[in-house]
Amino acid sequence: AAPRCFAAWSTPRLLAATRLGSGPLLVAGLQGALATLSDEGFVDLPWGRTGHLHALSRGPSGNAFAVGSGGHALRVQALAEGASAALEGVQTTRDLLDVAMDPETGAMWAAGRDARLLERRGDVWVRVPLPSDTSVSLVRVFPRAGRVLVLAEDGSVFAHAQSG
């Protein structure tokens, strides 16, 4: 069968995608684009759209998380009919560039500009201190096995022991 193309006429450039539970694909991008994609097509998810969304990650319990400009962090939850998105508290206003889940513990981590590393505790993303002379942007975060590896834009890698 020929591949099916989904037109998303009103959607700006998409930057990230992840599966929302066992259901639809979740996509995010510029101008706060956030939508689900299923056989029925794109369905926009309402939220304030006050910034770009740079990254998505599947979270524990089938939910997902999006992070983006200005320190935005959203929790996206699958519902019986569709999905919902909610802003969460974040201890930074710097752009967040990546988000990931520790596959062993379910802990969520985010990384961003100006050496921002955050761990989700409850419904709040808490800033994790790095050495005071660190100012480089953190572009990828890899939590696993009791530690978090963070890749910086200058090629350096930081290792942080997970709490708990």
Side-chain angles (χ1 to χ4, degrees), residues 130-146:
L130 293 175
S132 61
D133 62 341
T134 306
S135 62
V136 67
S137 290
L138 307 177
V139 295
R140 295 294 310 253
V141 59
F142 303 95
R144 184 153 193 129

Side-chain angles (χ1 to χ4, degrees), residues 12-52:
R13 183 175 171 199
L14 298 174
L15 303 174
T18 192
R19 182 70 57 196
L20 187 55
S22 60
L25 193 65
L26 179 66
V27 296
L30 298 182
Q31 299 172 8
L34 186 65
T36 57
L37 171 62
S38 66
D39 288 339
E40 289 77 42
F42 278 89
V43 176
D44 283 323
L45 295 180
W47 76 281
R49 287 192 177 227
T50 51
H52 305 301

Side-chain angles (χ1 to χ4, degrees), residues 4-149:
R4 185 169 175 198
C5 180
F6 291 93
W9 304 113
S10 63
T11 302
R13 183 175 171 199
L14 298 174
L15 303 174
T18 192
R19 182 70 57 196
L20 187 55
S22 60
L25 193 65
L26 179 66
V27 296
L30 298 182
Q31 299 172 8
L34 186 65
T36 57
L37 171 62
S38 66
D39 288 339
E40 289 77 42
F42 278 89
V43 176
D44 283 323
L45 295 180
W47 76 281
R49 287 192 177 227
T50 51
H52 305 301
L53 297 177
H54 298 298
L56 287 169
S57 175
R58 190 172 184 164
S61 305
N63 56 10
F65 293 90
V67 297
S69 63
H72 282 88
L74 291 92
R75 180 178 46 83
V76 182
Q77 185 173 352
L79 304 172
E81 293 294 322
S84 69
L87 282 167
E88 294 197 314
V90 182
Q91 292 182 350
T92 188
T93 56
R94 301 296 194 274
D95 292 353
L96 297 175
L97 305 175
D98 195 28
V99 61
M101 179 182 71
D102 182 321
E104 296 172 7
T105 66
M108 297 301 302
W109 291 82
R113 300 218 185 277
D114 297 326
R116 294 309 193 260
L117 176 63
L118 296 103
E119 179 183 16
R120 184 174 185 262
R121 298 180 189 158
D123 291 338
V124 177
W125 293 81
V126 177
R127 187 169 171 197
V128 175
L130 293 175
S132 61
D133 62 341
T134 306
S135 62
V136 67
S137 290
L138 307 177
V139 295
R140 295 294 310 253
V141 59
F142 303 95
R144 184 153 193 129
R147 69 181 181 161
V148 179
L149 295 178

